[in-house]
Amino acid sequence: MRQLGSWLGRVGTGFVRACVVAVVALLVPAVWAAAVALGILWGPGNPWSWLAPVVLVCVGTLALARPVCRTVRTLVARWTGTVIPDGYRRAGPVTRMSTGYWWNGFGYERTSRDALLDQKWRVRWGDPANWRDLRFTAVVPCTAGLVACLPPVGAAAAAVGLLRAGSAAYLVGALGAVVAVAGAPYAWRPLVPVAVRFLRPSPAMALADRVDELTAQRADSTVAQASEIRRIERDLHDGAQARLVGLGLSLATAEKLLASDPEQARALMREARAGAAASLAELRELVQGISPPVLTERGLVEAVRALALDVPLDVRVGADDGLRLDRPVEAALYFGVSELLTNAVRHAHATRAHVSLRHDGVGIVVEVADDGRGGADAREGGGLAGLRRRLAVFDGTVEITSPVGGPTHVRMAVPCESL
């Protein structure tokens, strides 16, 4: 009895899925049929009778191609768990360059509005996936669509056979019922291989996406480099440079007063010595912000441990032994951990944090968790967005889990062949 119930459940589920596949697959052919009917209705004697059907076919096919493909991917993922990447070209960030122009991934515009508008149309109509979607809408009705139509057509034939009298009608109804019941669990399944074959991104599309991604990263790197240079210049001008200028003036004055007023000269020398010590401390802090010496000398793990000692948090660091990466990767991860711990203190008001550094077989994985109030978001222009862009240069990823109320967990992963 249980097997019978399970079989009836598969029949019912398969019948519903077959009907859904038939409707989705035949949407575009339905538009074509409507265009043909419209042309016949207007009559062949009308010299303009071809215009409306052609417009209807073109507009309807273009408008339905992408929604049909999105629906098919959703159905395949929900029914079988097979995820088919869409491969659609994504709009990259619109970045203002140091020249004042806005770069949108395709060209330079004077305003952000013009850059966004130009980017929208270029991405939408220049996407190679449009041709792939159009090809799929022409293939799926002749393959998966026809097979999916068997159960509903069989059910309709069975209903007609029961309503009409006669042995022939009963025979047709019986055959229709057999087709509907026997084919229902399997009629929707051809959609999966057809979708996988014709909807996956082509190598050319993947290469185009990669080129767009690298172009956006180049623009971000240019902006970040210019900003970092301005920060270093500002720190030198406002800090160490001003102190060194004052040091030079103090030494010059002390030299003049050395013979006439030794006590005043010695006081100026003491002030100059204090200024020199302060300038040295500022320069060390500036160097620490550019390339921490402990990171260069002892590696990422020891640098993170030293960083944990300076943070006003109870920070525990766990790491695999022997983790040594290329210097640019180590610097990116080190400053990423520094950014996350700073956010935990400044914004999340956390009391404890945990940093984990390990190798997962593919690359380096750094996880930072804190018990703060959460709500962290990688909004544009924020520190987390900058961290994501910095790691993207190395094909790295940043995953943020930070519900309101906490806790916050951030996972940074960078593929590394040197491990």
Side-chain angles (χ1 to χ4, degrees):
M1 196 66 179
R2 181 177 300 176
Q3 294 180 352
L4 178 61
S6 176
W7 178 75
L8 291 176
R10 289 198 303 270
V11 170
T13 302
F15 184 83
V16 173
R17 291 181 177 180
C19 293
V20 172
V21 172
V23 171
V24 173
L26 297 179
L27 275 177
V28 174
V31 173
W32 301 342
V36 173
L38 182 61
I40 296 175
L41 181 63
W42 276 20
N46 188 344
W48 298 101
S49 60
W50 59 272
L51 182 59
V54 170
V55 172
L56 180 59
V57 167
C58 295
V59 174
T61 302
L62 291 175
L64 290 175
R66 185 163 291 191
V68 166
C69 294
R70 290 184 187 274
T71 304
V72 169
R73 290 191 193 91
T74 302
L75 294 177
V76 171
R78 182 177 300 175
W79 292 343
T80 66
T82 303
V83 178
I84 305 174
D86 54 24
Y88 294 129
R89 183 172 293 177
R90 301 289 191 271
V94 175
T95 309
R96 187 171 188 179
M97 310 301 292
S98 58
T99 58
Y101 284 84
W102 293 83
W103 169 257
N104 60 10
F106 301 95
Y108 297 93
E109 301 292 339
R110 291 185 176 272
T111 64
S112 61
R113 179 179 177 276
D114 293 341
L116 289 171
L117 186 62
D118 178 69
Q119 181 192 61
K120 175 183 176 181
W121 288 108
R122 286 178 179 267
V123 169
R124 182 65 179 87
W125 297 110
D127 194 346
N130 292 332
W131 298 105
R132 180 204 58 195
D133 291 350
L134 291 174
R135 181 185 61 178
F136 180 77
T137 57
V139 170
V140 71
C142 305
T143 53
L146 286 179
V147 178
C149 287
L150 292 178
V153 170
V160 171
L162 291 176
L163 294 177
R164 291 188 177 183
S167 58
Y170 289 144
L171 179 60
V172 172
L175 291 175
V178 170
V179 170
V181 173
Y186 312 101
W188 62 273
R189 295 185 182 275
L191 179 69
V192 179
V194 172
V196 172
R197 170 63 181 83
F198 291 99
L199 282 184
R200 62 186 178 184
S202 65
M205 294 166 57
L207 180 61
D209 292 341
R210 182 60 174 163
V211 170
D212 293 341
E213 180 183 354
L214 292 177
T215 302
Q217 291 176 5
R218 183 188 65 179
D220 288 338
S221 300
T222 302
V223 174
Q225 182 182 19
S227 177
E228 187 69 12
I229 292 175
R230 287 195 300 269
R231 182 188 69 83
I232 296 173
E233 181 182 8
R234 183 176 61 252
D235 291 343
L236 288 174
H237 182 272
D238 297 340
Q241 180 178 339
R243 290 184 181 275
L244 291 176
V245 171
L247 175 63
L249 294 176
S250 298
L251 290 176
T253 305
E255 183 182 4
K256 294 179 180 179
L257 295 176
L258 190 60
S260 60
D261 193 349
E263 290 297 327
Q264 183 67 23
R266 280 193 291 270
L268 289 175
M269 294 291 289
R270 287 193 295 269
E271 292 180 3
R273 184 176 61 184
S279 299
L280 182 60
E282 289 185 1
L283 289 174
R284 285 176 176 173
E285 184 178 355
L286 182 61
V287 171
Q288 182 78 14
I290 299 174
S291 179
V294 66
L295 180 64
T296 304
E297 297 170 2
R298 305 179 64 182
L300 176 63
V301 175
E302 296 302 324
V304 170
R305 286 174 176 162
L307 177 66
L309 296 176
D310 296 334
V311 177
L313 284 176
D314 180 15
V315 182
R316 293 182 294 114
V317 179
D320 294 341
D321 296 331
L323 283 179
R324 198 62 196 259
L325 313 172
D326 294 337
R327 287 188 179 182
V329 178
E330 286 188 336
L333 292 173
Y334 173 83
F335 287 113
V337 173
S338 176
E339 174 74 22
L340 295 174
L341 292 179
T342 301
N343 289 345
V345 175
R346 184 179 302 172
H347 304 295
H349 303 291
T351 58
R352 293 189 303 273
H354 180 264
V355 181
S356 171
L357 302 95
R358 57 185 174 85
H359 180 233
D360 65 349
V362 178
I364 180 70
V365 176
V366 180
E367 296 178 322
V368 180
D370 65 70
D371 62 348
R373 59 187 181 184
D377 185 21
R379 63 182 182 276
E380 188 64 28
L384 294 179
L387 172 60
R388 181 166 288 170
R389 289 195 299 269
R390 174 179 289 179
L391 293 184
V393 176
F394 307 99
D395 289 333
T397 59
V398 179
E399 300 176 2
I400 303 172
T401 304
S402 181
V404 177
T408 297
H409 181 271
V410 180
R411 182 180 187 272
M412 299 179 290
V414 178
C416 297
E417 296 182 357
S418 59
L419 289 175

